[in-house]
Amino acid sequence: MERNQETKFSNKDLEQINAHGLSESVVLERLERFSLGFPPTKIVRAATLGDGIVSMDEEKKEKYAAFFDENVRELKTAKFVPASGAASRMFKDLYEYAESENDTLSDFPQAKKLIDNISRFAFAEKLDEVLKSQGTSLEECLAKGENKRIIKNILYPEGLDYGRNPKALILFHRYDDSVRTSIEEHLVEAAMYCSNDKRETFLHFTISPEHFDKVEKLLSEVLNHYEKTFGVKYNIKLSVQKSSTDIPAVNLDDSLARDEQDRLIFRPSGHGALLSNLQETSADIIFIKNIDNVEQDYLKEADVQYKKMLGGLLLEVKHKRDELLRKLDSGNCNEETFGQIRHFLDSRFGLKLQSEQTFSSKEAFADYVRTKLERPLRVCSMVRNEGQPGGGPFWVESTNGEISLQIVEKAQIDLSDKQQNEIFQTATHFNPVDIVCSITDHKGNVLPLERFVDENTGFISEKTQKSSKIKIQERPGLWNGSMAQWLTIFVETPIAYFNPVKTVNDLLETAHQPH
């Protein structure tokens, strides 16, 4: 608590804090984390097939997909897509070439790969149009070896301005008669499994404030086309990450970092800050998928079957959970009911209930059981790890000794601990962020998601701000600590349906090229 006594905010600071929708006490509490740090997550063992990860054969896949189709008609489904942020990291290698005094293309292999394959990118025609408006063409620039001009016209405002645009607005795929941005691919996919009986299709995209108008403009231009093509009516919500989730940065000595105007430097607190946006997604069933994980149409049908499989499993589990909660509501719980609940939590989620004898009364035990049962539900796709970065599925021991299934990032684990490192190395799968969830209780009320967050998960990292080193803090990640106390099931799905675009040259992979 020493920091709270030492940190003094000026009136100007307090105005800035209030403008972010924050209070002084909340900011002080978040700043305290810089000195305290976050305790490492204690992994017990890796979740593997048969021990935390469910495997689906063809018969089960068809069964759950059919169950989804049969039971989803009267429910509202929605797709939640974190689409915030500029795509600058996607073009990191191109920036290195564009801003270098070295014009030798062969010294920049990723830039060379793009130039050598430029005609295969969905944005090639649009790039050609830009160059023609400048009195040249893509073909002429290639013939003259004006490679930097080509790349600068991809990145900078005088051209496509892709370096500042979000991934949502970048042309990813080419078809016979059209090209599509990544956000358009999500529209297409959502029409295939997020439509109700009235053919309404619901999506929720989180957008950075500076990109909001551009995304809104694109959607207004294309929605009519996709509605006619798929016979649906889109209902789209755009939201921004709330400024009240931002956290002031600090210097390396944990003193408050300030800009040239002596203002506090607020930084977004990571994708876990989108929990409140997810809470506002009005739907019974919500599919979560990243903006860059899309594919060409010829792969979509099989992928949609896996989405429906995940959704069907979620609905089956939700029906059972709701039935058990209604039994608790009746107040006539007997040993048989408690036995059913104990078996359900253990067999489905690997959660062990405490003995009833440790509670003062049957009513106290029933209240405890309800806290374990009345939680948000999620079914998460897991793919075999073939060297991809990202969080993985583990059995984790919490501070109160409870062992549960969690998605854990590498940075959360103390790899200097020999035993923890050995467990980490045994992981067989990783999280592709392909999740279907329910955030309502058995009465249809939205659960207060902040109640199920593990505040002891997070990251502190160093960044450069105007040549000075600062420390920033990321709060519990959306699918790590923010969902730590959700009821969780992991299901193995084929890696063929995980096709993220982390660098521009990933668009040359098979899943992003015409069939």
Side-chain angles (χ1 to χ4, degrees):
M1 302 298 292
E2 288 182 14
R3 168 180 286 283
N4 292 10
Q5 296 166 2
E6 294 173 2
T7 303
K8 301 292 183 184
F9 294 117
S10 67
N11 289 334
K12 184 178 174 183
D13 292 338
L14 293 174
E15 287 177 11
Q16 196 180 350
I17 288 168
N18 292 334
H20 272 76
L22 288 161
S23 67
E24 181 180 3
S25 61
V26 168
V27 171
L28 287 170
E29 184 181 318
R30 292 179 180 175
L31 288 172
E32 193 73 22
R33 275 290 179 186
F34 282 109
S35 53
L36 293 176
F38 291 95
T41 297
K42 184 180 179 182
I43 54 176
V44 177
R45 63 187 185 277
T48 55
L49 283 179
D51 183 25
I53 302 178
V54 179
S55 178
M56 293 284 186
D57 58 24
E58 200 63 29
E59 184 180 345
K60 285 183 179 177
K61 186 180 82 173
E62 290 177 5
K63 169 196 158 186
Y64 283 116
F67 189 81
F68 178 82
D69 285 334
E70 290 163 10
N71 290 274
V72 79
R73 293 191 182 97
E74 296 179 4
L75 299 176
K76 180 180 173 184
T77 56
K79 191 172 192 188
F80 182 85
V81 183
S84 307
S88 51
R89 280 181 293 182
M90 180 175 164
F91 299 100
K92 178 178 175 289
D93 295 316
L94 300 193
Y95 273 112
E96 288 179 3
Y97 174 61
E99 295 172 0
S100 169
E101 294 181 5
N102 181 357
D103 288 334
T104 307
L105 190 62
S106 59
D107 290 343
F108 300 87
Q110 293 305 312
K112 184 178 187 304
K113 184 175 182 178
L114 179 134
I115 293 293
D116 289 346
N117 294 277
I118 191 68
S119 63
R120 296 175 60 200
F121 288 93
F123 54 76
E125 288 80 2
K126 194 171 181 182
L127 175 62
D128 188 43
E129 289 174 15
V130 167
L131 290 167
K132 283 177 177 174
S133 73
Q134 299 171 6
T136 182
S137 69
L138 182 55
E139 186 179 1
E140 285 180 29
C141 288
L142 287 169
K144 293 178 181 177
E146 295 179 341
N147 301 314
K148 270 202 176 164
R149 182 172 187 175
I150 293 171
I151 285 177
K152 285 182 176 181
N153 271 283
I154 294 172
L155 299 176
Y156 298 136
E158 63 268 21
L160 300 179
D161 201 18
Y162 274 2
R164 296 192 305 172
N165 275 325
K167 283 184 181 179
L169 298 181
I170 292 170
L171 288 169
F172 268 33
H173 297 156
R174 180 191 285 119
Y175 294 94
D176 290 341
D177 56 354
S178 64
V179 287
R180 287 183 200 156
T181 59
S182 61
I183 201 169
E184 289 172 86
E185 292 291 13
H186 281 283
L187 297 179
V188 174
E189 193 180 292
M192 301 172 81
Y193 60 84
C194 280
S195 298
N196 61 18
D197 274 354
K198 298 176 183 177
R199 297 299 292 159
E200 297 171 302
T201 302
F202 298 86
L203 296 102
H204 183 171
F205 297 99
T206 62
I207 309 294
S208 293
E210 64 269 25
H211 301 136
F212 198 95
D213 291 343
K214 283 184 178 181
V215 172
E216 198 170 48
K217 180 175 182 292
L218 173 72
L219 289 173
S220 69
E221 292 169 353
V222 304
L223 278 185
N224 188 51
H225 165 71
Y226 290 109
E227 286 181 342
K228 286 182 177 178
T229 301
F230 296 101
V232 300
K233 178 65 179 176
Y234 287 104
N235 186 316
I236 296 177
K237 178 182 177 66
L238 302 180
S239 68
V240 298
Q241 185 170 307
K242 292 175 172 50
S243 61
S244 58
T245 62
D246 293 349
I247 300 174
V250 299
N251 299 308
L252 297 187
D253 64 357
D254 287 346
S255 61
L256 289 165
R258 297 181 180 276
D259 62 17
E260 294 87 344
Q261 285 76 46
D262 198 36
R263 291 172 58 83
L264 300 173
I265 300 173
F266 277 89
R267 297 290 294 254
S269 60
H271 59 71
L274 299 177
L275 189 67
S276 59
N277 302 70
L278 179 63
Q279 173 106 34
E280 294 168 4
T281 304
S282 175
D284 300 296
I285 304 295
I286 303 169
F287 290 86
I288 303 175
K289 196 178 183 186
N290 279 341
I291 188 67
D292 65 352
N293 185 14
V294 290
E295 63 224 353
Q296 287 266 341
D297 280 355
Y298 74 91
L299 285 169
K300 284 192 177 73
E301 187 174 342
D303 190 9
V304 165
Q305 283 301 103
Y306 274 94
K307 296 293 184 297
K308 289 183 176 182
M309 175 196 76
L310 297 175
L313 175 56
L314 179 86
L315 282 174
E316 181 184 82
V317 171
K318 178 173 167 54
H319 287 178
K320 184 62 178 177
R321 191 278 311 263
D322 291 352
E323 175 195 328
L324 293 170
L325 279 170
R326 282 190 285 270
K327 286 186 177 182
L328 280 180
D329 283 350
S330 72
N332 296 318
C333 291
N334 52 30
E335 292 307 315
E336 182 183 356
T337 299
F338 285 134
Q340 289 173 353
I341 294 172
R342 190 180 294 278
H343 175 72
F344 174 70
L345 290 173
D346 186 9
S347 62
R348 284 298 195 181
F349 313 106
L351 291 177
K352 311 286 187 186
L353 286 180
Q354 294 177 27
S355 170
E356 185 175 348
Q357 280 67 46
T358 61
F359 292 83
S360 58
S361 66
K362 191 171 186 177
E363 291 72 25
F365 180 63
D367 289 341
Y368 158 74
V369 169
R370 178 180 291 278
T371 65
K372 299 302 180 186
L373 204 55
E374 196 172 64
R375 300 184 184 190
L377 292 158
R378 61 173 177 166
V379 175
C380 309
S381 166
M382 289 292 156
V383 298
R384 286 196 174 274
N385 197 330
E386 296 179 0
Q388 298 86 350
F394 290 89
W395 291 97
V396 168
E397 184 177 338
S398 67
T399 51
N400 66 6
E402 182 177 275
I403 294 174
S404 61
L405 285 170
Q406 303 289 340
I407 295 169
V408 183
E409 300 287 342
K410 184 177 181 179
Q412 292 176 256
I413 303 167
D414 179 10
L415 295 178
S416 66
D417 182 308
K418 186 172 181 287
Q419 186 181 33
Q420 292 286 285
N421 197 350
E422 287 174 355
I423 295 172
F424 175 74
Q425 299 300 332
T426 64
T428 56
H429 292 69
F430 80 101
N431 164 44
V433 189
D434 197 353
I435 300 169
V436 56
C437 61
S438 168
I439 60 174
T440 56
D441 64 15
H442 58 302
K443 298 176 181 177
N445 302 313
V446 177
L447 293 161
L449 299 186
E450 71 279 357
R451 187 189 297 168
F452 307 96
V453 175
D454 180 358
E455 293 289 350
N456 283 318
T457 58
F459 308 92
I460 295 171
S461 56
E462 290 185 11
K463 298 285 182 182
T464 301
Q465 174 87 9
K466 299 286 185 182
S467 76
S468 297
K469 289 282 188 182
I470 60 171
K471 291 197 294 188
I472 66 166
Q473 186 180 142
E474 289 195 22
R475 300 298 291 157
L478 187 55
W479 27 86
N480 327 102
S482 286
M483 295 180 174
Q485 295 173 47
W486 290 34
L487 294 174
T488 297
I489 296 175
F490 295 147
V491 179
E492 184 181 58
T493 50
I495 198 167
Y497 308 118
F498 178 57
N499 298 292
V501 177
K502 300 306 179 188
T503 71
V504 64
N505 284 330
D506 287 340
L507 290 170
L508 298 173
E509 298 293 330
T510 304
H512 302 293
Q513 289 293 309
H515 190 41

